Amino acid sequence: MGLLSFFNKEVAMDLGTANSIVIYNDQVVIDEPSIVAVDRTQNKIIAVGNTAKQMDGKNSRNIETIRPLRGGVIADFEMAQHLIRELIGMTNVSRSFMPPSLRMVICIPSGITNVEERAVRESAEQAGAKEIRMIHEPMAAAIGIGIDVLEPEGHMIVDIGGGTAEIAVISLGGIVCNNSIKVAGDEFNANVMEYMRKQHNMFIGERTAERVKINVGAAVSDLADPPADYPTLGRDMMTGLPKEISVNYKEIAHALDKSIARIEQAILDTLSNTPPELAADIYKSGIYLAGGGSLLRGLDQRISSKTKLQVHIADDPLRAVARGTGIALKNFNKFQFLIK
């Protein structure tokens, strides 16, 4: 069971820009949006996760909704502490054990700086964790997908989350080359909002943009099984009145085109820096997609067309990173050199 399991107080966490997932005793016990609602009049946390997200964009002047993580890293240190503490409080870990005894493994972006990494570590410590270990997201995703990362064979992982797209080539338990860009789910939402503003003269909120992305989001404008048009509600820029417009997937494919092109270029750049022997392995095994962004319709088709390689979407890509973090924690002795 590994070194940490001796204490039987082990928690794995995917602290994501959009969603945070907590794994305890090999089970996903928390899967909540990374958002906190604060009552500014009383300076008090009133909601976290799904409840806070329901308030986002609909809150009064006294209530502020905050996303502590932006671009894959902590943007609000104090709120990140509250988020981690509240997420742990939702599990039975805090009810079963003393918080100071809590051990955590948290996954972090591969391109994170030392300052950003220290912010994650200190936030977890302030939230009550006694020992914190880190694992890079692409490595965790590879483990979660089921790839044997310890073998002398090259694999390319593309993890498109809420704040960053992580591209990495993995072999012999290490990241050989990688690229981390801040183009992912949040950027896609911003693209949809901008498109609706410019093409339809309509303001929509971030939550509405996300629903549009989920319902009719696409990476290509020619899908074999296209989704039905999605009725989108917002505010008319000219009249200021509420209105509804039906949006189709071809429009959203156009809106997301430039952002997806940046992800494609990052993949090509990473491939160009890959040692030839590992490039040969990737030619045979293909590219593996994980993260919520991989669910964008036609994305695998588009990347395959650009790279001339097979592209595989992970089973349950939203939880691949969290699942890999949990496996690394459970098999600590096997993966301990991957966890710092």
Side-chain angles (χ1 to χ4, degrees):
M1 291 291 290
L3 176 65
L4 298 181
S5 61
F6 175 80
F7 300 96
N8 197 30
K9 304 168 186 178
E10 308 166 352
V11 169
M13 178 178 286
D14 175 9
L15 189 63
T17 303
N19 283 76
S20 292
I21 300 174
V22 178
I23 292 181
Y24 177 60
N25 282 344
D26 302 332
Q27 300 291 324
V28 174
V29 292
I30 298 295
D31 186 350
E32 298 271 343
S34 303
I35 187 167
V36 178
V38 183
D39 185 338
R40 287 303 185 189
T41 59
Q42 302 181 43
N43 196 26
K44 177 182 176 183
I45 304 296
I46 58 173
V48 165
N50 281 315
T51 305
K53 187 172 183 178
Q54 291 172 7
M55 301 177 185
D56 192 28
K58 300 182 178 181
N59 42 298
S60 66
R61 294 179 180 178
N62 295 334
I63 298 176
E64 182 181 5
T65 52
I66 301 169
R67 292 178 58 184
L69 293 102
R70 291 284 181 180
V73 296
I74 291 177
D76 188 320
F77 184 76
E78 182 181 359
M79 288 301 112
Q81 292 176 25
H82 287 298
L83 176 65
I84 295 172
R85 184 181 293 111
E86 293 296 325
L87 291 174
I88 296 302
M90 293 178 188
T91 71
N92 60 9
V93 178
S94 59
R95 292 190 292 270
S96 302
F97 307 109
M98 293 294 290
S101 299
L102 183 64
R103 271 67 171 173
M104 296 179 65
V105 173
I106 303 175
C107 59
I108 55 176
S110 59
I112 196 171
T113 67
N114 290 334
V115 173
E116 291 165 343
E117 182 182 325
R118 189 161 59 248
V120 175
R121 193 179 297 275
E122 290 177 0
S123 291
E125 288 174 349
Q126 292 296 323
K130 183 177 180 181
E131 183 176 348
I132 301 101
R133 301 292 183 92
M134 308 281 189
I135 184 171
H136 286 127
E137 287 178 7
M139 187 65 72
I143 295 171
I145 289 170
I147 294 171
D148 189 346
V149 299
L150 304 180
E151 287 294 310
E153 186 172 347
H155 296 281
M156 173 169 268
I157 309 297
V158 179
D159 174 31
I160 307 173
T164 60
E166 304 277 327
I167 303 105
V169 174
I170 291 169
S171 178
L172 284 171
I175 296 176
V176 179
C177 52
N178 69 288
N179 203 340
S180 178
I181 60 172
K182 296 187 181 201
V183 179
D186 286 350
E187 183 78 8
F188 296 161
N189 293 343
N191 292 158
V192 172
M193 294 168 68
E194 182 181 11
Y195 178 85
M196 296 300 292
R197 187 170 63 249
K198 289 183 176 180
Q199 299 298 319
H200 294 292
N201 291 321
M202 187 169 82
F203 285 122
I204 63 171
E206 191 172 351
R207 288 180 62 194
T208 300
E210 185 175 18
R211 288 195 293 268
V212 171
K213 178 184 67 178
I214 292 169
N215 284 277
V216 289
V220 295
S221 57
D222 185 18
L223 292 175
D225 184 21
D229 292 358
Y230 183 71
T232 305
L233 297 169
R235 190 180 82 232
D236 191 295
M237 291 174 59
M238 304 299 291
T239 67
L241 299 174
K243 74 172 181 179
E244 177 182 302
I245 289 176
S246 287
V247 181
N248 62 62
Y249 81 93
K250 291 187 178 183
E251 291 183 89
I252 305 307
H254 176 73
L256 302 181
D257 180 66
K258 290 183 179 179
S259 291
I260 295 171
R262 290 175 62 189
I263 294 175
E264 288 177 327
Q265 188 58 51
I267 293 172
L268 293 175
D269 291 343
T270 307
L271 286 169
S272 69
N273 291 323
T274 302
E277 293 295 338
L278 296 182
D281 291 338
I282 294 170
Y283 181 82
K284 292 183 291 184
S285 62
I287 298 172
Y288 293 87
L289 299 184
S294 66
L295 296 172
L296 199 63
R297 297 169 184 83
L299 182 61
D300 54 340
Q301 172 189 334
R302 176 163 170 171
I303 293 175
S304 179
S305 176
K306 189 72 173 181
T307 61
K308 312 302 179 188
L309 298 171
Q310 287 185 312
V311 176
H312 316 280
I313 300 176
D315 294 332
D316 193 9
L318 285 165
R319 294 184 173 183
V321 171
R323 190 164 56 244
T325 305
I327 292 171
L329 174 61
K330 181 180 179 182
N331 301 278
F332 186 82
N333 287 338
K334 180 180 178 181
F335 296 112
Q336 59 181 322
F337 65 96
L338 303 180
I339 305 173
K340 58 180 181 176

